[in-house]
């Protein structure tokens, strides 16, 4: 049966192939599960505290505000371009196909790295839940060789499962996503409430850097912002799933903003609760073992382990959601014939409504990245930071062209959604919000990628980890340029979908 949503897709030059079965909560779950408060806070809390001390909490509202500016711009675009491959599609239609292709290329490589980083988070939780999950060696700390290797093993096992789910059926994936997000929200609320009610100190402690900050207050906040920056990415996934969402012009803009807002609020409360309830701020445990240590030591083994089990569910669902988003990006770019093996990558199974080949590609490439953990424990941080930089840069490659389009008067703020209501619009606030979103995004990209030796190579001797993010980004762009040049020589010119459809 053809629906209004299907006709809306046809106006952009595409036919409906993915199964449209997601409602508003499923759309919210797509964005929230990519952000995954419990996954990312548990994964990077120890890092933020180690470099910033208690004051790193204040980087949280700053990053949330900056990302809300970006999300507001994305909400406008999701209402006007409800298409899979959101970043690629939006950038292509706002600028030109070449610039848009590089935005999509950087984004999809970044998403693959995020998949690997999310899978590594199991190491922060499973061994604390049960020592039997430490399959390699005896030391579970991810900064040790044993912990890093075990993280890779657990991550690969998780990727096998998420790849299978991403092949089976989008309804199965949606059910798992919704159940997982519900469990995560309940778990995050419980963790925040229990930690805050078990507080040992007052919130005033968050005004201190502690003994760990090595570069003063500013340095503590800049490096401490890594935690918040890693948590609050992926809200665009609600737009990524537009071709599978009912009434996407109305639904996606709202779920982009609500997913980020809910995650920002819950995550901030969990971080605050961890700082206030920690048994000690000076015994070194908080900077190594993170929130898992706080839960089990303050709430007791029973309650602590039950909440850690909920975190495991959140990590699994987050990995699944991120992999799904990467699959849709590959599918969208391949559908336009703009990737190697495009015909195979763009093929959708008519029974399941899922593009199977992208799921396998993302799973295999993410698992390959995990092998870096066998080389050095420093790979854990290098992988995590690289994925944030890639996504922040891809976001800026959307907000930048959008700002140019606004200033030239070429961005329409009118139109109606599927219900006849006006499309989401920033109105007269569009230019200032957009400009601040771009400045914030570029500044954070530089902050995250800056090759700080104390952060990326604390032991010394691994210069390539210190420069890993810059090198990886350079290699990504170079590989993309080689592919574009090869394609230009071997492919006869033909109109691309992004070129054929007016912005």
């Amino acid at each position: 049966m053809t629906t209004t949503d299907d006709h809306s897709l046809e106006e952009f030059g595409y036919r409906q192939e993915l199964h449209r079965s997601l409602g508003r909560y499923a759309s919210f779950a797509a964005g929230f599960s990519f952000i995954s408060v419990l996954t990312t806070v548990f994964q990077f809390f120890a890092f933020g505290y180690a470099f910033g001390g208690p004051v790193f909490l204040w980087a949280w509202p700053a990053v949330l505000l900056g990302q809300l500016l970006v999300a507001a711009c994305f909400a406008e675009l999701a209402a006007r371009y409800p298409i899979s491959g959101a970043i690629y599609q939006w950038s292509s239609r706002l600028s030109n196909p070449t610039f848009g292709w590089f935005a999509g290329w950087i984004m999809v490589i970044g998403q693959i790295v995020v998949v690997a980083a999310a899978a590594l988070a199991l190491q922060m939780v499973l061994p604390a839940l049960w020592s039997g999950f430490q399959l390699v060696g005896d030391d579970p700390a991810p900064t040790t060789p044993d912990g890093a290797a075990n993280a890779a093993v657990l991550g690969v096992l998780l990727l096998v499962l998420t790849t299978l789910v991403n092949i089976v059926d989008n309804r199965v994936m949606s059910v798992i996503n919704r159940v997982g997000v519900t469990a995560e929200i309940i778990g995050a609320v419980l963790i925040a409430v229990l930690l805050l009610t078990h507080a040992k100190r007052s919130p005033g402690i968050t005004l201190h850097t502690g003994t760990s900050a090595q570069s003063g207050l500013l340095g503590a906040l800049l490096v401490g912002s890594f935690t918040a920056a890693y948590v609050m990415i992926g809200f665009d996934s609600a737009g990524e799933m537009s071709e599978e969402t009912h009434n996407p012009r109305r639904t996606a803009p709202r779920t982009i903003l609500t997913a980020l807002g809910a995650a920002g609020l819950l995550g901030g409360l969990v971080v605050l609760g961890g700082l206030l309830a920690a048994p000690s701020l000076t015994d070194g445990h908080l900077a190594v073992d993170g929130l898992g240590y706080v839960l089990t030591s303050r709430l007791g083994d029973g309650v602590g382990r039950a909440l850690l089990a909920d975190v495991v569910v959140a990590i699994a669902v987050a990995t699944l959601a991120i992999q799904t988003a990467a699959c849709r990006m590959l599918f969208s770019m391949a559908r336009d014939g703009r990737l190697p093996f495009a015909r195979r990558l763009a093929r959708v199974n008519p029974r399941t409504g899922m593009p199977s080949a992208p799921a396998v590609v993302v799973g295999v490439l993410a698992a390959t990245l995990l092998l870096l953990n066998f080389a050095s424990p420093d790979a854990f941080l290098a992988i995590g930071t690289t994925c944030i930089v890639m996504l922040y840069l891809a976001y800026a490659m959307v907000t930048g062209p959008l700002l140019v389009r606004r200033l030239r008067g070429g961005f329409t703020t009118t139109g109606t959604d599927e219900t006849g209501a006006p499309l989401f619009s920033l109105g007269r606030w569009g230019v200032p919000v957009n400009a601040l979103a771009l400045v914030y995004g570029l500044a954070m990209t530089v902050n995250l990628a800056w090759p700080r030796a104390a952060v990326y190579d604390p032991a010394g001797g691994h210069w390539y980890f210190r420069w890993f993010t810059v090198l990886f980004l350079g290699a990504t762009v170079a590989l993309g340029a080689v592919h574009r040049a090869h394609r230009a020589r071997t492919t006869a010119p033909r109109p691309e979908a992004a070129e054929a459809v007016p912005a």
Side-chain angles (χ1 to χ4, degrees):
M1 181 178 69
T2 303
T3 67
T4 304
D5 295 336
D6 300 337
H7 287 307
S8 176
L9 186 60
E10 289 172 2
E11 78 177 68
F12 296 107
Y14 303 115
R15 61 188 178 90
Q16 187 70 42
E17 293 182 278
L18 305 175
H19 290 182
R20 202 176 284 278
S21 60
L22 307 184
R24 183 168 183 174
Y25 188 69
S27 176
F28 165 82
F32 189 91
S33 56
F34 192 125
I35 300 171
S36 189
V37 170
L38 294 186
T39 299
T40 46
V41 169
F42 272 77
Q43 190 172 10
F44 266 73
F45 180 94
F47 172 82
Y49 183 80
F51 280 93
V55 78
F56 94 97
L57 169 72
W58 292 102
W60 194 276
V63 171
L64 175 58
L65 177 60
Q67 290 296 70
L68 281 172
L69 296 172
V70 177
C73 295
F74 285 5
E76 283 192 308
L77 294 171
R80 289 155 181 79
Y81 307 112
I83 318 171
S84 290
I87 298 298
Y88 155 68
Q89 293 283 354
W90 298 342
S91 184
S92 295
R93 294 165 191 277
L94 292 169
S95 55
N96 60 68
T98 299
F99 188 85
W101 185 90
F102 274 102
W105 175 248
I106 290 171
M107 183 68 182
V108 75
I109 298 299
Q111 287 172 325
I112 291 170
V113 183
V114 180
V115 173
L120 286 174
L122 282 179
Q123 184 62 24
M124 300 296 295
V125 184
L126 280 181
L129 187 61
W130 177 50
S131 60
F133 287 117
Q134 186 64 32
L135 306 175
V136 180
D138 302 313
D139 193 339
T143 54
T144 64
D146 285 354
N150 196 68
V153 172
L154 294 177
V156 169
L157 293 175
L158 176 57
L159 287 173
V160 171
L161 294 176
T162 57
T163 300
L164 288 175
V165 174
N166 261 307
I167 291 174
V168 174
D169 192 289
N170 77 337
R171 287 170 297 184
V172 173
M173 176 205 65
S174 177
V175 168
I176 293 174
N177 223 14
R178 294 198 305 271
V179 171
V181 164
T182 303
E184 179 171 8
I185 292 174
I186 293 172
V189 171
L190 284 175
I191 290 172
V193 170
L194 289 172
L195 290 179
L196 290 172
T197 54
H198 285 74
K200 290 189 61 177
R201 54 192 65 84
S202 73
I205 191 65
T206 62
L207 299 176
H208 302 282
T209 58
T211 59
S212 53
Q214 302 172 22
S215 305
L217 178 60
L218 180 60
L221 289 172
L222 289 176
V223 179
S225 68
F226 285 28
T227 301
Y230 184 61
V231 172
M232 287 180 267
I233 54 174
F235 44 85
D236 54 294
S237 291
E240 195 73 67
M241 304 298 289
S242 288
E243 290 185 30
E244 293 154 88
T245 303
H246 296 299
N247 300 326
R249 292 180 187 272
R250 180 173 182 80
T251 300
R254 288 160 177 77
T255 51
I256 285 173
L257 292 168
T258 53
L260 176 59
L265 176 61
L266 281 176
L269 291 174
V270 170
V271 172
L272 176 62
L275 291 171
L276 301 187
S280 172
L281 298 180
T282 57
D283 64 2
H285 279 292
L286 202 58
V288 175
D289 303 319
L291 279 177
Y293 148 74
V294 181
L295 285 187
T296 54
S297 59
R298 291 292 289 151
L299 304 180
D301 260 3
V303 175
R305 290 178 189 276
L307 292 173
L308 286 177
D310 188 67
V311 177
V312 173
V313 173
I315 292 171
V317 173
T319 306
L320 171 65
I322 300 165
Q323 186 175 7
T324 301
C327 291
R328 298 305 178 269
M329 181 67 76
L330 278 178
F331 162 75
S332 184
M333 296 180 72
R335 178 173 57 183
D336 288 350
R338 311 191 76 181
L339 288 175
F341 311 107
R343 189 184 299 266
R344 182 70 185 90
L345 290 172
R347 189 176 302 161
V348 176
N349 186 315
R351 181 181 62 82
T352 65
M354 301 285 271
S356 302
V360 175
V361 170
V362 174
V364 170
L365 291 179
T368 303
L369 273 174
L370 293 183
L371 299 180
L372 286 173
N373 252 36
F374 286 101
S376 170
D378 292 333
F380 175 83
L381 181 58
I383 291 173
T385 310
T386 297
C387 68
I388 317 173
V389 171
M390 301 284 281
L391 266 62
Y392 264 77
L393 182 58
Y395 287 175
M397 294 177 75
V398 172
T399 55
L402 177 58
L403 179 60
V404 172
R405 181 64 66 88
R406 287 187 200 275
L407 293 174
R408 291 177 175 175
F411 183 71
T412 178
T413 58
T414 59
T416 57
D417 62 27
E418 296 86 357
T419 66
L423 294 177
F424 177 88
S425 174
L426 292 173
R428 62 178 180 174
W429 292 98
V431 170
V433 167
N434 197 159
L436 289 172
L438 177 60
V439 171
Y440 160 79
L442 292 175
M444 278 298 293
T445 300
V446 173
N447 176 42
L448 294 164
W450 199 263
R452 300 172 176 90
V455 174
Y456 297 112
D457 188 22
H462 297 95
W463 65 269
Y464 43 87
F465 281 126
R466 180 178 175 183
W467 292 92
F468 185 85
T469 298
V470 177
L471 293 172
F472 191 91
L473 179 58
T476 298
V477 174
L479 184 60
V482 169
H483 165 68
R484 296 281 300 178
H486 174 73
R487 184 173 177 273
R489 289 196 304 269
T490 58
T491 307
R494 68 177 182 85
E496 305 287 3
E499 295 172 288
V501 181

